[in-house]
């Protein structure tokens, strides 16, 4: 009788231990999965929060998600020739600048960066770009195109003169993504020199991934621009 009781007690203890172990395993699995998910989420949030927030030209690449126009040349995306001797695209790094100089014979680089919110560190990047471009023997011009207000006529006038000065050609224009500011300024030039309509200009922008609701000021200014009004600048 005692032997039976001891045997029963042993089996009961074994059952309890096994049950606890199984539950512990289940409970331990949940935090591990949660930690993994949190880690991915935190990494994603960090990358999104720091987009564009760099001081070096080559540590962050432009967004390729809407790269629906132009070519990819090295790290350059949305690369395109929009007029004889005039090229457009995204932010180059030093190797890209050398490609532009050696393969495309570019003499002048025009940047539209410098007016973005301070967290994007564009001022520092413009200074670094100027240093690199001039070190490579090219000319650097900066027109900090605003993203929340109209482009002033004085800026447009100076920009047109830079592009129409034959000693500056061939020439490459860019912002960061090579899409919004770059597209707007390329189309302004085409309205003035090729006589395309503002609607055609916006349609051209859309082919390079431009989203009208993101920068309504660009859409409005292009639609109101005419060849005769821009020729007066």
């Amino acid at each position: 009788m005692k032997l039976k009781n001891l045997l029963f007690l042993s089996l009961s203890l074994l059952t309890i231990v096994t049950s606890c172990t199984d539950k512990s395993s289940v409970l331990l699995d949940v935090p591990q999965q949660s930690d993994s998910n949190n880690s991915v989420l935190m990494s994603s949030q960090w990358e999104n929060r720091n987009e564009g927030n760099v001081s070096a030209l080559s540590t962050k690449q432009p967004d390729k998600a809407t790269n629906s126009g132009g070519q990819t040349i090295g790290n350059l995306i949305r690369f395109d020739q929009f007029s004889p001797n005039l090229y457009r695209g995204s932010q180059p790094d030093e190797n890209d600048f050398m490609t532009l100089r050696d393969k495309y014979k570019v003499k002048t680089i025009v940047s539209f960066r410098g007016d973005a919110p301070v967290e994007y560190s564009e001022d520092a990047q413009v200074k670094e770009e100027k240093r690199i471009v001039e070190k490579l023997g090219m000319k650097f011009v900066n027109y900090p195109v605003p993203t929340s207000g109209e482009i002033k006529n004085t800026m447009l006038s100076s920009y047109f003169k830079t592009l129409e000065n034959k000693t500056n050609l061939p020439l490459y224009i860019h912002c960061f993504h090579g899409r919004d500011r770059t597209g707007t300024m390329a189309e302004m030039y085409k309205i003035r020199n090729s006589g395309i309509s503002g609607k055609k200009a916006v349609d051209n922008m859309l082919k390079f991934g431009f989203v009208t609701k993101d920068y309504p000021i660009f859409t409005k200014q292009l639609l109101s621009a005419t060849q005769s009004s821009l020729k007066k600048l």
Side-chain angles (χ1 to χ4, degrees), residues 149-151 184 188 191 198-199 202 205 210 212-213 215-226:
E150 285 198 350
I151 305 165
T184 299
M188 283 290 188
I191 292 173
K199 183 180 183 306
V202 173
M205 294 261 291
F210 177 67
T212 54
K213 66 180 178 64
Y215 296 99
I217 191 67
F218 291 160
T219 305
K220 178 182 177 182
Q221 196 162 2
L222 283 170
L223 290 175
S224 64
T226 63

Short mmCIF file of all heavy atoms in Angstrom, two decimals, residues 149-151 184 188 191 198-199 202 205 210 212-213 215-226:
data_model
loop_
_atom_site.label_atom_id
_atom_site.label_comp_id
_atom_site.label_asym_id
_atom_site.label_seq_id
_atom_site.Cartn_x
_atom_site.Cartn_y
_atom_site.Cartn_z
N GLY A 149 7.37 77.94 -50.34
CA GLY A 149 7.01 79.26 -50.86
C GLY A 149 7.39 79.35 -52.33
O GLY A 149 8.10 78.49 -52.85
N GLU A 150 6.92 80.38 -53.00
CA GLU A 150 7.20 80.54 -54.43
C GLU A 150 8.69 80.82 -54.68
O GLU A 150 9.37 81.44 -53.86
CB GLU A 150 6.36 81.67 -55.02
CG GLU A 150 4.91 81.31 -55.22
CD GLU A 150 4.22 82.27 -56.18
OE1 GLU A 150 4.82 83.30 -56.55
OE2 GLU A 150 3.06 81.99 -56.57
N ILE A 151 9.14 80.35 -55.81
CA ILE A 151 10.52 80.64 -56.23
C ILE A 151 10.55 82.08 -56.72
O ILE A 151 9.77 82.46 -57.61
CB ILE A 151 10.95 79.68 -57.35
CG1 ILE A 151 10.77 78.23 -56.91
CG2 ILE A 151 12.39 79.94 -57.76
CD1 ILE A 151 10.83 77.22 -58.04
N THR A 184 11.03 70.84 -61.00
CA THR A 184 10.41 72.16 -61.16
C THR A 184 11.32 73.10 -61.94
O THR A 184 10.89 73.78 -62.89
CB THR A 184 10.09 72.77 -59.79
OG1 THR A 184 9.17 71.92 -59.10
CG2 THR A 184 9.47 74.15 -59.93
N MET A 188 10.77 74.71 -65.64
CA MET A 188 10.75 76.17 -65.81
C MET A 188 11.63 76.57 -66.99
O MET A 188 11.25 77.43 -67.81
CB MET A 188 11.24 76.86 -64.53
CG MET A 188 10.23 76.90 -63.40
SD MET A 188 8.86 78.03 -63.77
CE MET A 188 8.02 78.04 -62.20
N ILE A 191 9.77 75.63 -70.21
CA ILE A 191 8.67 76.56 -70.51
C ILE A 191 9.23 77.81 -71.17
O ILE A 191 8.72 78.29 -72.18
CB ILE A 191 7.89 76.94 -69.23
CG1 ILE A 191 7.12 75.73 -68.69
CG2 ILE A 191 6.93 78.09 -69.50
CD1 ILE A 191 6.46 75.97 -67.34
N GLY A 198 2.34 74.91 -68.96
CA GLY A 198 2.50 74.54 -67.56
C GLY A 198 1.94 73.16 -67.28
O GLY A 198 2.51 72.40 -66.49
N LYS A 199 0.84 72.81 -67.94
CA LYS A 199 0.25 71.48 -67.75
C LYS A 199 1.20 70.40 -68.25
O LYS A 199 1.37 69.36 -67.60
CB LYS A 199 -1.09 71.37 -68.48
CG LYS A 199 -1.78 70.02 -68.26
CD LYS A 199 -3.09 69.93 -68.99
CE LYS A 199 -3.80 68.62 -68.71
NZ LYS A 199 -2.95 67.43 -68.97
N VAL A 202 3.95 69.89 -65.68
CA VAL A 202 3.55 69.08 -64.53
C VAL A 202 3.48 67.61 -64.93
O VAL A 202 3.91 66.72 -64.18
CB VAL A 202 2.20 69.56 -63.96
CG1 VAL A 202 1.71 68.61 -62.87
CG2 VAL A 202 2.33 70.97 -63.39
N MET A 205 6.82 66.19 -64.86
CA MET A 205 7.25 65.97 -63.47
C MET A 205 6.73 64.63 -62.94
O MET A 205 7.44 63.90 -62.25
CB MET A 205 6.73 67.10 -62.58
CG MET A 205 7.31 68.47 -62.89
SD MET A 205 8.63 68.91 -61.78
CE MET A 205 7.78 69.15 -60.25
N PHE A 210 7.05 62.76 -59.19
CA PHE A 210 6.54 63.92 -58.46
C PHE A 210 5.11 63.66 -58.01
O PHE A 210 4.29 63.12 -58.76
CB PHE A 210 6.59 65.16 -59.36
CG PHE A 210 6.02 66.41 -58.74
CD1 PHE A 210 6.65 67.00 -57.66
CD2 PHE A 210 4.87 67.00 -59.25
CE1 PHE A 210 6.13 68.16 -57.09
CE2 PHE A 210 4.35 68.16 -58.69
CZ PHE A 210 4.99 68.74 -57.62
N THR A 212 1.89 65.72 -56.70
CA THR A 212 1.44 67.12 -56.68
C THR A 212 1.01 67.59 -55.29
O THR A 212 1.25 68.74 -54.92
CB THR A 212 0.27 67.32 -57.66
OG1 THR A 212 -0.77 66.37 -57.36
CG2 THR A 212 0.73 67.10 -59.09
N LYS A 213 0.38 66.68 -54.50
CA LYS A 213 -0.10 67.10 -53.18
C LYS A 213 1.03 67.34 -52.18
O LYS A 213 0.84 68.03 -51.18
CB LYS A 213 -1.08 66.07 -52.62
CG LYS A 213 -0.47 64.72 -52.29
CD LYS A 213 -1.52 63.76 -51.73
CE LYS A 213 -0.94 62.37 -51.45
NZ LYS A 213 0.09 62.41 -50.40
N TYR A 215 3.93 68.93 -52.87
CA TYR A 215 4.46 70.28 -53.11
C TYR A 215 3.50 71.06 -54.00
O TYR A 215 3.80 71.35 -55.15
CB TYR A 215 5.85 70.20 -53.76
CG TYR A 215 6.89 69.54 -52.89
CD1 TYR A 215 7.23 68.20 -53.08
CD2 TYR A 215 7.52 70.24 -51.86
CE1 TYR A 215 8.18 67.59 -52.29
CE2 TYR A 215 8.46 69.64 -51.05
CZ TYR A 215 8.79 68.31 -51.27
OH TYR A 215 9.73 67.71 -50.48
N PRO A 216 2.34 71.43 -53.47
CA PRO A 216 1.35 72.15 -54.28
C PRO A 216 1.88 73.48 -54.81
O PRO A 216 1.43 73.95 -55.85
CB PRO A 216 0.17 72.35 -53.32
CG PRO A 216 0.76 72.21 -51.95
CD PRO A 216 1.86 71.22 -52.09
N ILE A 217 2.83 74.09 -54.09
CA ILE A 217 3.37 75.37 -54.53
C ILE A 217 4.10 75.24 -55.86
O ILE A 217 4.05 76.13 -56.70
CB ILE A 217 4.29 75.99 -53.43
CG1 ILE A 217 4.63 77.44 -53.77
CG2 ILE A 217 5.55 75.16 -53.25
CD1 ILE A 217 3.45 78.37 -53.71
N PHE A 218 4.79 74.10 -56.06
CA PHE A 218 5.49 73.88 -57.33
C PHE A 218 4.48 73.72 -58.47
O PHE A 218 4.65 74.27 -59.56
CB PHE A 218 6.37 72.64 -57.26
CG PHE A 218 7.58 72.78 -56.36
CD1 PHE A 218 8.23 71.65 -55.87
CD2 PHE A 218 8.07 74.01 -56.00
CE1 PHE A 218 9.34 71.77 -55.05
CE2 PHE A 218 9.17 74.16 -55.18
CZ PHE A 218 9.81 73.02 -54.70
N THR A 219 3.42 72.95 -58.21
CA THR A 219 2.38 72.73 -59.21
C THR A 219 1.74 74.06 -59.60
O THR A 219 1.57 74.36 -60.79
CB THR A 219 1.30 71.77 -58.67
OG1 THR A 219 1.92 70.56 -58.25
CG2 THR A 219 0.27 71.47 -59.74
N LYS A 220 1.40 74.85 -58.60
CA LYS A 220 0.75 76.15 -58.84
C LYS A 220 1.64 77.07 -59.67
O LYS A 220 1.18 77.72 -60.62
CB LYS A 220 0.40 76.81 -57.51
CG LYS A 220 -0.24 78.18 -57.64
CD LYS A 220 -0.51 78.79 -56.27
CE LYS A 220 -1.10 80.19 -56.41
NZ LYS A 220 -1.32 80.82 -55.08
N GLN A 221 2.92 77.13 -59.32
CA GLN A 221 3.82 78.05 -60.01
C GLN A 221 4.07 77.61 -61.45
O GLN A 221 4.16 78.44 -62.35
CB GLN A 221 5.13 78.19 -59.25
CG GLN A 221 5.96 79.40 -59.69
CD GLN A 221 7.01 79.80 -58.67
OE1 GLN A 221 7.17 79.15 -57.63
NE2 GLN A 221 7.72 80.88 -58.94
N LEU A 222 4.17 76.30 -61.68
CA LEU A 222 4.35 75.81 -63.05
C LEU A 222 3.12 76.07 -63.90
O LEU A 222 3.23 76.49 -65.06
CB LEU A 222 4.67 74.31 -63.03
CG LEU A 222 6.09 73.92 -62.63
CD1 LEU A 222 6.18 72.41 -62.41
CD2 LEU A 222 7.10 74.35 -63.69
N LEU A 223 1.94 75.83 -63.35
CA LEU A 223 0.70 76.02 -64.11
C LEU A 223 0.46 77.48 -64.47
O LEU A 223 -0.19 77.78 -65.47
CB LEU A 223 -0.50 75.47 -63.32
CG LEU A 223 -0.56 73.94 -63.18
CD1 LEU A 223 -1.72 73.53 -62.27
CD2 LEU A 223 -0.69 73.27 -64.54
N SER A 224 1.00 78.38 -63.67
CA SER A 224 0.80 79.81 -63.94
C SER A 224 1.92 80.40 -64.81
O SER A 224 1.80 81.54 -65.27
CB SER A 224 0.71 80.59 -62.62
OG SER A 224 1.95 80.51 -61.91
N ALA A 225 2.97 79.63 -65.04
CA ALA A 225 4.11 80.14 -65.82
C ALA A 225 3.82 80.06 -67.32
O ALA A 225 3.18 79.12 -67.80
CB ALA A 225 5.36 79.34 -65.50
N THR A 226 4.30 81.05 -68.05
CA THR A 226 4.19 81.05 -69.50
C THR A 226 5.54 81.43 -70.09
O THR A 226 6.39 82.02 -69.42
CB THR A 226 3.14 82.06 -70.00
OG1 THR A 226 3.56 83.39 -69.63
CG2 THR A 226 1.77 81.78 -69.39
#
